[in-house]
Amino acid sequence: MLSIYINGAGCISPQETAAGGPMLANLREYEQVKLATVDPDYKQWIDVKQIRRMSRVVKMGVGAANLSLQAAGIAMPDAIVTGTAYGCLDDTGVFLTKMVNQQEEMLTPTAFIQSTHNTVGGQIALLLGCNAYNNTFVHRGFSFENALLDTIMMLREGSAQQILVGGLDELTPHSYQILSRFGLYKKEPVKTMELLNSPTCGTIAGEGAAFFTLGVQPGTNTAAELTGISTLYKPMWEGEVIGHIMKFLEDNNYTPNDIDLLVTGRNGDIGQDEIYEEVVEALFPEHPEASFKHLCGEYPTAVGFGMWLANGILADQAVPEAAMFYGQAPRRIKKILLYNHHQGTHHSLVLLSHVE
Amino acid sequence: MEQLMADLKKQIIEQLNLQEVTPESIGNDEPLFKEGLGLDSIDALELIVLLQQHYNIRIANPEQGPEIFYSIRSMAEFIVAQQTAKA
Amino acid sequence: MSEKVWIAGGGVISGIGMNLRESLQAFREMRPGMGAMKYLSSMHRNTFPVAEVKADNDMLADMAGLPENISRTALLSLIAAREAWQSSGLGDISRYRVGLVSGNTVGGMDKTEDFFAEYLADNRKGRLQQVMHHECGSITEIVADAMGIRHHVSTISTACSSGANALMYGYRLIRNNIVDVVIAGGTDALTRFTLNGFNTLMILDQQPCRPFDETRTGLNLGEGAGYVVLVSDSLAAQLQPWCRLSGFANANDAYHQTASSPDGTGNYLAMKGALDMSGLQPQQIGYINLHGTGTGNNDVSEGIAINRIFAPHFPAMSSTKSFTGHTLGASGGIEAVLSAVAVKEGIIYPNARFEHQMKELPFAPATTWSEGNDLRHVMSNSFGFGGNCSSLVFSSF
């Protein structure tokens, strides 16, 4: 089977991930229920005439995409694939609010135009002048995973050599307010470094953008190969999840013992984290485990942050202390299994291998 | 007319979120579209709403845009003509 | 791995009919679906004609077997997806590895906009039930869950090309041996959000739209859903498939957030790419289902790109949006069903209300219905905001 390499990664998140330098060197710790991105100066990538219409999610997408292309040394990808569950929420809220408040009168086009879910993918293409394949997946907790699957299929089909693929979602005052009413988040602020051991229900809200340049040839800085990806929709019970993970490893000719590090999407919600416990107990009882949602918060495309972290771990051959959840990372980290679920209904697996 | 043109510049900067542009930097006769401020068709639609909001003038046909929105002066002249016609 | 991917069936609901049979009858009898707004509540009720599905939510919910407070977008989707499945002859869905790939543009916005009025007055108010299915993906999941589809579910949102991109992705899921059957297409209900959005762009016609007519002044919005059932070679052998999905391409215009480039670069690349993939020469295409929204900008860009590829041998072409209105995320799905059945039955659809030749173009759309034509290959175009351009080619055996 054809190998697929992560030749560049870019991430904008509630950590200082856009700044470069050692991964999570300046850890941002929070004591709140929602985390916002640490924004770089977007004008380094977007000129002032274009930036004026862009909402935050568009800017963070363009920023992360550029970071990823720069890291890969690629000027023009052969395709652009984006995953976003919520799309451009801020502009959607702006247009809806005016529509309601102004009784459908005297509305302006900018927020509407920018509210469409493919705005980020379209703007990246526009800024790069990229006429190639462009697609946007908007499937809840599978948005980023579907974008990755599309990318992997395309690289295997041979119709592209280098593909820019990313996942992103923004949090807005409206979305936070409404999602809070669904009981998704903690009632009281919690220290992010203590989130994963929290004994209560609910998690913390987050946001961010992670883009990757995937190719069929490794670049000079390539550290990881994307070995496989799989999703499981609405499993009936824990046993189905465990069985699915076993089958996924088998399909890639691995056993749990081949995995050097497990990276999980624990989010500090005692109800939602239970499945990670079950999976660890059944398949990875002695495995070292890292986690990431205490660093970026929970959102439907947070797996993108997890994959960015896993890629960085393979490059550094070390796990940042703030990400370590259980045990100690081995001296050599060759294979990482990323297991995440979103709201118990969307489970996904990403398998990364170290490239020497 | 001078006051109207000064008001228009401020309103346009606000409506179109023109960062790093000051009212003083916009010439009265400078073209607003393409060269000059570099506005585009979406801005033209924004300006149509601006005229409606601030001056109660409705433009039904967007094709009139390029002529009316050629410059700050052409916009001001159009507004004055419309207001005179109404009075 | 399946070498070819076949269309085993299709289902459609739109302003001209509750199913495919009714829709074809509407074309045959020249009955376009646009008229005064009846089901959507809007200030612009008396200004803009729309092509509404002729049923209220209670009736649609009854047809779909879902609660009536579910988003209309999901109701339309399930009705058309079920029709598609039933027409395929595949029988019990649990026997196959099945995927659902659906496009839509605003998810459950029809309910969200009702919620927002109360919520804005007091952010602790508004029934959460109404925003539960706001996400585009949630609409797809309602349908997947109702039909018992779990192997693969995904949602694509590339504005007006969403439905067409769903077919391409579905094709590739089969070719890559991820599933054996994919129900692919799109859905969108009319909402105040989109109606007002298009109104800000000043591209809504206050009269029934006139695609590819010199006097055109904009589009009419419509609503509906359309799905095809894509199957692998081995399954197709046991069925009577309509045709093959023989080629497609997705390209980006990279010119402007909403407008098409004057020379239709993205349109050209999509059509050219689809022809290349299907291994066809332009003159082998017998009919083009145009994107043909009726806006000044789209029709001239699309026409110029067609001229560049097809001159001097122009196939028959028409915009079925002159009947269904522009159904946005559904349009690629609806027009895929119409194009696939066109190959099967040799149908050339009429372009309603065409009278005046566009001065930029050397060709004109078909204006009358005909069937039994010898159509081997049909192209369907879907172009959208964000520069997203997609073309599909359907071919007989």
Side-chain angles (χ1 to χ4, degrees):
Chain A
M1 185 77 86
L2 185 78
S3 295
I4 292 169
Y5 300 96
I6 301 178
N7 291 333
C11 183
I12 289 171
S13 73
Q15 299 297 326
E16 295 176 19
T17 47
M23 195 164 53
L24 303 177
N26 298 308
L27 184 70
R28 292 261 183 144
E29 294 185 50
Y30 300 91
E31 187 171 355
Q32 54 203 56
V33 188
K34 55 175 173 172
L35 309 187
T37 52
V38 179
D39 289 317
D41 177 14
Y42 291 110
K43 285 179 185 153
Q44 62 186 299
W45 302 294
I46 314 166
D47 87 56
V48 69
K49 273 184 184 162
Q50 282 156 322
I51 210 165
R52 66 194 168 97
R53 288 191 187 130
M54 291 182 180
S55 64
R56 246 158 31 81
V57 70
V58 178
K59 286 188 275 199
M60 68 172 90
V62 169
N66 271 288
L67 286 168
S68 147
L69 290 170
Q70 280 163 14
I74 297 287
M76 187 70 80
D78 301 329
I80 299 170
V81 190
T82 310
T84 173
Y86 297 130
C88 300
L89 276 178
D90 191 49
D91 280 314
T92 304
V94 166
F95 194 76
L96 258 179
T97 303
K98 284 190 183 166
M99 185 178 92
V100 170
N101 290 344
Q102 296 169 205
Q103 279 94 45
E104 303 182 55
E105 291 290 347
M106 284 200 257
L107 298 170
T108 55
T110 302
F112 174 69
I113 290 167
Q114 300 282 329
S115 76
T116 53
H117 287 73
N118 61 336
T119 303
V120 177
Q123 286 291 335
I124 294 170
L126 197 55
L127 290 168
L128 295 176
C130 180
N131 290 120
Y133 180 95
N134 196 302
N135 209 352
T136 300
F137 290 87
V138 294
H139 198 93
R140 311 190 73 193
F142 288 162
S143 305
F144 176 65
E145 289 83 345
N146 286 339
L148 269 186
L149 178 61
D150 192 23
T151 302
I152 292 170
M153 289 196 297
M154 213 177 320
L155 291 170
R156 289 191 178 148
E157 288 158 8
S159 58
Q161 303 292 308
Q162 297 275 358
I163 299 180
L164 179 66
V165 54
L168 74 170
D169 274 299
E170 68 176 329
L171 187 69
T172 69
H174 287 316
S175 72
Y176 176 73
Q177 171 66 22
I178 293 168
L179 291 169
S180 294
R181 286 174 54 187
F182 280 102
L184 260 51
Y185 307 126
K186 299 276 184 210
K187 301 273 184 290
E188 303 291 333
V190 52
K191 287 198 172 102
T192 48
M193 290 311 290
E194 292 168 12
L195 175 72
L196 300 185
N197 294 312
S198 150
T200 57
C201 281
T203 181
I204 55 172
E207 62 176 10
F211 273 79
F212 303 88
T213 306
L214 300 185
V216 291
Q217 297 289 336
T220 43
N221 301 319
T222 301
E225 182 188 327
L226 175 57
T227 309
I229 175 184
S230 183
T231 56
L232 177 64
Y233 175 61
K234 291 193 179 167
M236 314 282 181
W237 63 302
E238 312 81 57
E240 196 181 344
V241 177
I242 293 164
H244 188 85
I245 296 174
M246 281 297 286
K247 171 120 191 355
F248 174 69
L249 291 175
E250 265 170 42
D251 289 348
N252 286 285
N253 297 318
Y254 291 150
T255 69
N257 284 338
D258 293 318
I259 302 301
D260 301 307
L261 177 73
L262 190 64
V263 176
T264 59
R266 289 174 189 270
N267 71 8
D269 179 314
I270 193 162
Q272 297 205 352
D273 284 351
E274 207 178 305
I275 183 71
Y276 296 110
E277 296 292 338
E278 307 248 7
V279 164
V280 164
E281 197 177 314
L283 301 175
F284 308 99
E286 300 302 325
H287 279 69
E289 181 184 342
S291 283
F292 58 91
K293 285 183 184 162
H294 57 301
L295 305 171
C296 67
E298 179 67 280
Y299 56 100
T301 49
V303 175
F305 184 92
M307 186 162 134
W308 174 86
L309 178 72
N311 178 59
I313 288 171
L314 288 173
D316 295 352
Q317 285 294 300
V319 182
E321 201 189 323
M324 210 60 218
F325 178 76
Y326 173 80
Q328 270 200 316
R331 226 163 44 78
R332 295 205 355 111
I333 307 169
K334 286 192 277 190
K335 298 195 189 322
I336 295 182
L337 178 68
L338 171 57
Y339 165 50
N340 180 67
H341 77 83
H342 186 68
Q343 296 184 7
T345 46
H346 299 72
H347 297 250
S348 65
L349 300 164
V350 178
L351 190 55
L352 299 183
S353 314
H354 186 223
V355 175
E356 305 287 331
Chain B
M1 190 64 128
E2 289 302 321
Q3 184 56 48
L4 177 57
M5 289 197 288
D7 291 347
L8 274 173
K9 289 176 190 173
K10 278 187 224 149
Q11 289 155 357
I12 289 171
I13 288 169
E14 198 203 328
Q15 181 98 4
L16 304 184
N17 191 25
L18 298 173
Q19 297 162 10
E20 299 175 13
V21 175
T22 58
E24 301 73 39
S25 68
I26 307 175
N28 290 338
D29 299 295
E30 180 190 343
L32 296 174
F33 285 77
K34 294 193 177 116
E35 66 263 56
L37 274 188
L39 305 184
D40 68 11
S41 59
I42 298 170
D43 296 308
L45 295 167
E46 292 277 344
L47 294 182
I48 288 174
V49 180
L50 185 151
L51 287 188
Q52 202 181 337
Q53 275 172 338
H54 293 274
Y55 302 97
N56 199 24
I57 295 170
R58 271 178 188 271
I59 299 174
N61 181 2
E63 286 178 13
Q64 286 180 281
E67 200 185 323
I68 300 166
F69 303 132
Y70 177 77
S71 64
I72 295 290
R73 189 180 305 279
S74 67
M75 272 182 86
E77 283 169 356
F78 177 76
I79 292 167
V80 171
Q82 290 290 308
Q83 287 170 340
T84 318
K86 271 184 202 164
Chain C
M1 186 189 276
S2 181
E3 285 302 311
K4 292 174 177 167
V5 174
W6 303 81
I7 309 286
V12 61
I13 182 167
S14 77
I16 57 171
M18 306 302 281
N19 54 44
L20 180 59
R21 191 183 49 78
E22 284 184 25
S23 306
L24 295 181
Q25 196 57 23
F27 285 112
R28 212 175 265 127
E29 295 169 3
M30 288 301 284
R31 282 188 283 107
M34 42 285 276
M37 228 174 274
K38 193 171 166 198
Y39 304 102
L40 180 69
S41 157
S42 166
M43 293 288 288
H44 305 296
R45 178 175 289 252
N46 298 318
T47 312
F48 299 114
V50 289
E52 290 179 303
V53 169
K54 308 295 183 282
D56 61 19
N57 285 7
D58 287 359
M59 187 176 158
L60 293 175
D62 203 41
M63 282 176 75
L66 288 173
E68 72 281 355
N69 57 8
I70 291 273
S71 166
R72 188 171 171 94
T73 306
L75 300 176
L76 297 171
S77 175
L78 181 55
I79 292 167
R82 274 222 188 96
E83 186 196 4
W85 183 266
Q86 276 154 9
S87 75
S88 72
L90 283 161
D92 180 4
I93 203 164
S94 66
R95 288 170 50 211
Y96 310 94
R97 289 189 303 168
V98 183
L100 174 63
V101 184
S102 183
N104 73 68
T105 61
V106 288
M109 180 61 82
D110 58 324
K111 298 295 175 191
T112 304
E113 61 194 19
D114 287 343
F115 170 86
F116 241 68
E118 280 183 67
Y119 164 83
L120 282 177
D122 179 343
N123 69 13
R124 291 161 303 173
K125 293 253 170 73
R127 272 180 298 151
L128 287 177
Q129 223 288 324
Q130 293 181 307
V131 276
M132 222 164 92
H133 302 296
H134 172 76
E135 285 174 73
C136 296
S138 189
I139 299 297
T140 310
E141 289 184 1
I142 292 169
V143 178
D145 292 354
M147 293 183 72
I149 296 169
R150 279 189 58 213
H151 282 98
H152 185 93
V153 283
S154 51
T155 310
I156 288 176
S157 197
T158 51
C160 312
S161 64
S162 307
N165 283 328
L167 265 82
M168 295 187 206
Y169 183 66
Y171 173 107
R172 294 172 47 241
L173 288 173
I174 293 174
R175 284 289 300 265
N176 283 273
N177 195 27
I178 289 165
V179 287
D180 301 307
V181 188
V182 174
I183 302 174
T187 181
D188 256 325
L190 277 163
T191 68
R192 286 190 291 284
F193 186 89
T194 38
L195 182 80
N196 280 282
F198 278 86
N199 189 27
T200 65
L201 294 168
M202 299 181 88
I203 53 173
L204 291 177
D205 197 330
Q206 299 191 9
Q207 303 299 320
C209 65
R210 285 149 290 156
F212 277 78
D213 189 289
E214 180 67 17
T215 66
R216 71 196 181 282
T217 54
L219 58 85
N220 303 141
L221 287 174
E223 63 179 353
Y227 294 90
V228 295
V229 178
L230 301 167
V231 297
S232 61
D233 272 334
S234 59
L235 284 178
Q238 311 158 27
L239 304 166
Q240 275 114 33
W242 293 5
C243 57
R244 286 188 293 128
L245 179 56
S246 62
F248 51 75
N250 161 319
N252 196 286
D253 203 31
Y255 172 75
H256 187 271
Q257 180 60 23
T258 58
S260 298
S261 58
D263 57 352
T265 303
N267 305 1
Y268 172 83
L269 292 171
M271 286 188 275
K272 185 74 173 52
L275 281 173
D276 289 349
M277 178 177 168
S278 58
L280 296 174
Q281 295 301 312
Q283 61 269 26
Q284 290 176 275
I285 297 288
Y287 166 69
I288 304 176
N289 188 300
L290 299 162
H291 184 54
T293 57
T295 64
N297 177 242
N298 174 78
D299 294 3
V300 74
S301 297
E302 185 176 8
I304 285 170
I306 287 172
N307 192 35
R308 187 171 159 201
I309 293 176
F310 291 92
H313 302 289
F314 295 106
M317 47 188 129
S318 63
S319 166
T320 48
K321 291 186 180 77
S322 62
F323 284 75
T324 61
H326 190 355
T327 57
L328 308 176
S331 64
I334 291 174
E335 290 163 30
V337 176
L338 296 176
S339 298
V341 80
V343 174
K344 176 171 163 253
E345 311 273 345
I347 298 168
I348 290 170
Y349 297 96
N351 193 108
R353 296 175 298 278
F354 174 82
E355 286 179 21
H356 309 90
Q357 177 64 37
M358 278 174 67
K359 65 177 187 310
E360 298 91 343
L361 304 179
F363 57 83
T367 54
T368 53
W369 161 276
S370 61
E371 56 195 310
N373 297 290
D374 181 25
L375 284 185
R376 301 285 172 83
H377 307 283
V378 166
M379 177 179 272
S380 174
N381 286 341
S382 298
F383 308 139
F385 281 10
N388 279 111
C389 298
S390 292
S391 295
L392 307 171
V393 176
F394 299 89
S395 298
S396 60
F397 319 106

